[in-house]
């Protein structure tokens, strides 16, 4: 099997799962064998679904290497009352900070100072919903291939980054159907909310068209991973602004 055949095979499986909303058990182990393969499949899935890239998830693998995945436009809402998500898949929400790009970033050309290309931020909410029935049973490469389990993303109104308070010591309140489910100082995995974004800008990707003006970069949860049912009305509040969205079945 050629590399192109492997990429096409994995992408076809995942694109079908996106379209149907039905989970799959796993990917055949011989289809995706490297991070480069995973990125190629990410790009091909977006092409098969005929969707643009609205933003990017960025984090670190077990060896500390920066890894990223596109957040697809078809799964993203920028404001508005509702965020459609898969009805039957387990739903986990993560409230996050989204850094919004002011301009395109050339692939492979490091940005030394993030403020050169980012001036605004927004409170965002990611819904973790994998195309795999049991995402916790998947090897890391499969999770990366599946866009790091992004199921949907909701972006609130943006605000200037420079005038924001210290992001790493924000108090965050999260409500579900009127009941508080988180109410304390943010707890980002790296401690520094902007660290993954800066790491991405130090080695900008080229796949999926690369980093483009108007896209956002989201760097990880501020409140852990909170499982919620669908439908649920979610509200999040910080001093940088509110977020309110209803998770609805699509």
């Amino acid at each position: 099997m050629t590399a192109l055949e492997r990429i096409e095979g994995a992408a076809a499986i995942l694109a079908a799962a996106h379209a149907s909303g039905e989970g799959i058990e796993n990917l055949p182990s011989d289809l995706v064998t490297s991070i480069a393969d995973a990125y190629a499949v990410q790009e091909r899935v977006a092409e098969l679904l005929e969707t643009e890239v609205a933003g990017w998830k960025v984090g670190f693998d077990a060896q500390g290497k920066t890894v990223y995945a596109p957040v697809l436009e078809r799964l993203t809402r920028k404001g508005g009352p509702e965020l459609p998500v898969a009805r039957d898949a387990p739903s986990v929400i993560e409230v996050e900070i989204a850094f919004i790009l002011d301009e395109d970033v050339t692939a492979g050309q490091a940005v030394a100072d993030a403020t050169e290309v980012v001036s605004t931020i927004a409170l965002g909410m990611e819904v973790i919903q994998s195309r795999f029935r049991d995402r916790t049973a998947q090897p890391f490469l499969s999770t990366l291939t599946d866009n790091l389990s992004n199921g949907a993303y909701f972006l609130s109104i943006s605000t200037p980054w420079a005038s924001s308070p210290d992001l790493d010591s924000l108090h965050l309140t999260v409500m579900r159907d009127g009941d508080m489910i988180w109410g304390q100082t943010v707890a980002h995995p790296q401690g520094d909310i902007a660290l993954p974004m800066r790491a991405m800008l130090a080695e900008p990707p080229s796949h999926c068209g690369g980093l483009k003006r108007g896209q956002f970069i989201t760097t990880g949860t501020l409140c852990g991973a909170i499982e919620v049912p669908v439908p649920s009305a979610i509200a999040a509040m910080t001093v940088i602004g509110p977020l309110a969205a209803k998770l609805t079945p699509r």
Side-chain angles (χ1 to χ4, degrees):
M1 188 184 303
T2 67
L4 183 59
E5 289 170 336
R6 292 190 293 103
I7 299 309
E8 193 67 27
I13 292 169
L14 288 172
H18 271 278
S20 69
E22 296 182 6
I24 59 175
E25 291 299 328
N26 50 48
L27 289 174
S29 60
D30 61 341
L31 294 185
V32 178
T33 61
S34 68
I35 287 178
D37 285 350
Y39 289 159
V41 175
Q42 290 176 359
E43 181 168 19
R44 184 61 180 138
V45 168
E47 291 171 352
L48 291 172
L49 294 174
E50 299 182 333
T51 183
E52 299 296 322
V53 174
W56 295 83
K57 290 185 64 170
V58 58
F60 302 101
D61 67 11
Q63 288 72 47
K65 179 179 174 60
T66 311
V67 291
Y68 11 76
V71 178
L72 303 180
E73 186 75 45
R74 68 189 295 272
L75 300 176
T76 304
R77 294 292 182 273
K78 298 176 181 179
E82 295 184 349
L83 180 62
V85 299
R87 176 189 294 273
D88 297 327
S91 300
V92 170
I93 61 167
E94 298 181 350
V95 177
E96 304 174 342
I97 296 294
F99 296 86
I100 301 169
L101 290 166
D102 295 329
E103 56 187 78
D104 296 355
V105 178
T106 303
Q109 185 171 313
V111 176
D113 182 356
T115 61
E116 295 176 1
V117 295
V118 175
S119 63
T120 54
I121 62 173
L123 200 62
M125 179 178 66
E126 181 178 15
V127 179
I128 303 295
Q129 281 191 328
S130 175
R131 265 49 62 182
F132 299 106
R133 290 193 179 94
D134 183 1
R135 66 182 176 86
T136 64
Q138 299 305 312
F140 174 73
L141 271 181
S142 291
T143 300
L144 180 61
T145 304
D146 185 37
N147 292 348
L148 293 172
S149 301
N150 175 255
Y153 203 90
F154 186 91
L155 202 66
S156 68
I157 297 172
S158 60
T159 189
W161 185 13
S163 61
S164 298
D166 180 7
L167 296 179
D168 301 319
S169 61
L170 290 176
H171 187 276
L172 170 66
T173 301
V174 183
M175 312 283 288
R176 179 180 66 81
D177 295 338
D179 296 324
M180 188 170 70
I181 54 178
W182 175 277
Q184 61 190 69
T185 302
V186 298
H188 190 269
Q190 274 76 46
D192 178 355
I193 292 171
L195 178 64
M197 181 265 300
R198 292 191 178 101
M200 187 179 198
L201 292 176
E203 45 179 340
S206 60
H207 73 293
C208 294
L211 302 181
K212 299 297 184 183
R213 181 178 183 272
Q215 292 178 347
F216 61 87
I217 300 173
T218 187
T219 63
T221 182
L222 308 180
C223 60
I226 305 172
E227 189 165 348
V228 298
V230 177
S232 285
I234 306 295
M237 291 150 280
T238 73
V239 294
I240 65 172
L243 178 153
K246 184 173 183 180
L247 305 186
T248 59
R250 62 169 177 260

